[in-house]
Amino acid sequence: MRQSRQYKSPFAAMLWSCVLPGFGPFYNKDYIVGAVLIGLEFIVNLNSNLNISLIDSFMGDINSTHHVIDYSQTFYGH
């Protein structure tokens, strides 16, 4: 007997992925892809100092935000 899968909204998966890459696949019960994406997100954020830059921008220190980021560890680095 064939089991029917519960309907999963693509819009909800997109919103979860906007919160943090990897949450969309977790929502769709694709745990391996979700874990890999979450792991890559943390590695890129930690190595590029993106989190520190975000904190500086929330505090209003815009000049410090650009000096803290290591652009070679982001997708925009050359």
Side-chain angles (χ1 to χ4, degrees), residues 44-54 68-70 73:
V44 168
N45 283 354
L46 291 175
N47 287 336
S48 68
N49 296 328
L50 185 61
N51 295 333
I52 296 170
S53 175
L54 287 172
V68 167
I69 283 190
D70 180 7
Q73 295 296 322

Side-chain angles (χ1 to χ4, degrees), residues 13-76:
M14 180 198 64
L15 290 177
W16 277 112
S17 289
C18 287
V19 171
L20 186 71
F23 278 19
F26 269 113
Y27 171 75
N28 288 325
K29 297 185 180 181
D30 194 359
Y31 300 116
I32 294 173
V33 172
V36 167
L37 288 173
I38 289 172
L40 289 173
E41 177 72 17
F42 280 112
I43 289 170
V44 168
N45 283 354
L46 291 175
N47 287 336
S48 68
N49 296 328
L50 185 61
N51 295 333
I52 296 170
S53 175
L54 287 172
I55 291 171
D56 288 342
S57 70
F58 290 149
M59 301 292 275
D61 190 5
I62 301 302
N63 289 331
S64 176
T65 357
H66 294 290
H67 296 292
V68 167
I69 283 190
D70 180 7
Y71 287 102
S72 68
Q73 295 296 322
T74 63
F75 295 113
Y76 302 111

Side-chain angles (χ1 to χ4, degrees), residues 3-18:
Q3 281 186 328
S4 64
R5 291 184 66 170
Q6 180 183 1
Y7 174 74
K8 295 288 186 173
S9 168
F11 183 70
M14 180 198 64
L15 290 177
W16 277 112
S17 289
C18 287

